[in-house]
């Protein structure tokens, strides 16, 4: 089984840009896409990026997703940070060999 | 608009069976091309996928939980359910149900229900 590793926490000032990484221990995001979820305190997760870089309707374009050239790393970038962006963010992907869905360790974003 | 709502007992005794149901409104499970899944989150911890099911009963489970977990669907009631046997304190979590987009390269969840806290305690 593979793991998805994220930084525990990141912080930045309003208006700035923050990037969260997600590293896959094995396999590739090119063949098993990554998703990103935002979870505000006391609420259920919501999707901010699906299929590596697609944004659901209603999610501002301040949120963007990408995968690295080696395809075992992914990033979520939030530009023009707002206080409402303060939340936990989880990446998620799939292991097609074992039919296993895995979530990342989660990153707490603090807007100072 | 699609809406999912979990319901079930909030307190379960150790060694007993945890049972939860998710009611779907705004779409028909039996006529949709989606899977439907369960995910849980222990207090203060991360997310863990449990299991998913298709309207025709096709299922897949997290290998770490498959021996204790059963997922089922009732298309007539537009509901799907989860049972976890022989629970321990480690099964204490908020349990979420969600629509599951499943395909060759993609597997993701949206939207999610509000979540149901289940505490395992005597």
């Amino acid at each position: 089984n593979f793991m998805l590793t994220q930084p525990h926490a990141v912080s930045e000032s309003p208006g700035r840009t923050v990037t969260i990484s997600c590293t896959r221990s094995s396999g590739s995001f090119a063949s098993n896409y990554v998703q990103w979820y935002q979870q505000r305190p006391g609420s259920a997760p919501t999707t901010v990026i699906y299929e590596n870089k697609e944004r659901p309707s209603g999610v501002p374009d301040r949120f963007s997703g990408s995968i690295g050239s080696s395809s075992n790393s992914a990033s979520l970038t939030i530009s023009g940070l707002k206080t409402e962006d303060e939340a936990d963010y989880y990446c998620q992907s799939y292991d097609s060999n074992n039919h296993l869905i895995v979530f990342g360790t989660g990153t707490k974003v603090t807007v100072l | 608009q699609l809406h999912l709502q979990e319901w079930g007992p909030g307190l379960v005794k150790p060694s007993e069976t945890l049972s939860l149901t998710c009611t779907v409104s705004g779409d028909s499970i039996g006529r949709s091309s989606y899977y439907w899944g369960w995910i849980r989150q222990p207090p203060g911890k991360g997310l863990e996928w449990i299991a998913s099911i298709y309207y025709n009963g096709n299922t897949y489970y997290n290998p770490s939980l498959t021996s204790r977990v059963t997922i089922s669907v009732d298309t007539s009631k537009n509901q799907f359910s989860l049972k976890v046997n022989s629970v321990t304190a480690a099964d204490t979590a908020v349990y979420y149900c969600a629509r599951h987009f499943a395909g060759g390269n993609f597997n993701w969840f949206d939207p999610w229900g509000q979540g149901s806290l289940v505490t395992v305690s005597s």
Side-chain angles (χ1 to χ4, degrees):
Chain A
N1 297 340
F2 72 99
M3 296 186 300
L4 297 173
T5 303
Q6 302 177 233
H8 181 67
V10 296
S11 59
E12 193 49 272
S13 302
R16 303 294 292 268
T17 296
V18 68
T19 297
I20 304 167
S21 62
C22 175
T23 302
R24 186 174 173 131
S25 61
S26 64
S28 165
F29 289 129
S31 53
N32 291 282
Y33 298 157
V34 65
Q35 281 65 233
W36 292 91
Y37 302 95
Q38 176 192 69
Q39 186 177 33
R40 294 190 174 109
S43 297
T46 61
T47 310
V48 291
I49 293 291
Y50 67 97
E51 297 178 15
N52 291 346
K53 59 179 177 58
E54 303 299 322
R55 210 169 35 248
S57 61
V59 174
D61 59 6
R62 302 185 295 104
F63 290 83
S64 62
S66 62
I67 61 171
S69 56
S70 62
S71 297
N72 73 331
S73 66
S75 296
L76 172 69
T77 298
I78 311 171
S79 59
L81 266 174
K82 299 185 176 184
T83 54
E84 67 203 46
D85 300 331
E86 195 161 278
D88 293 326
Y89 291 82
Y90 293 91
C91 60
Q92 173 258 306
S93 189
Y94 179 61
D95 177 355
S96 52
N97 292 327
N98 297 297
H99 301 290
L100 175 63
I101 295 167
V102 174
F103 288 90
T105 50
T107 299
K108 182 176 182 60
V109 171
T110 301
V111 182
L112 302 168
Chain B
Q1 186 178 359
L2 185 67
H3 182 74
L4 295 91
Q5 178 71 57
E6 309 88 351
W7 52 279
L11 181 64
V12 180
K13 290 182 168 55
S15 80
E16 296 190 345
T17 297
L18 177 162
S19 296
L20 290 168
T21 297
C22 181
T23 298
V24 177
S25 58
D27 194 8
S28 169
I29 289 179
R31 291 196 297 270
S32 69
S33 58
Y34 307 111
Y35 275 76
W36 304 89
W38 288 97
I39 304 104
R40 70 180 182 180
Q41 184 173 37
K45 297 188 178 180
L47 300 163
E48 180 182 39
W49 169 69
I50 303 169
S52 294
I53 191 165
Y54 199 53
Y55 77 92
N56 63 1
N58 189 36
T59 58
Y60 60 118
Y61 293 93
N62 186 323
S64 69
L65 295 168
T66 187
S67 64
R68 296 194 297 125
V69 171
T70 302
I71 188 172
S72 60
V73 64
D74 186 338
T75 55
S76 67
K77 295 181 179 178
N78 223 34
Q79 296 174 341
F80 60 105
S81 299
L82 177 74
K83 291 187 186 298
V84 182
N85 300 323
S86 305
V87 297
T88 69
D91 294 307
T92 294
V94 175
Y95 285 77
Y96 296 100
C97 61
R99 179 175 57 180
H100 177 177
F101 293 83
N105 298 80
F106 60 90
N107 279 272
W108 56 288
F109 301 94
D110 188 85
W112 299 49
Q114 67 182 29
S116 178
L117 174 62
V118 179
T119 302
V120 178
S121 175
S122 55

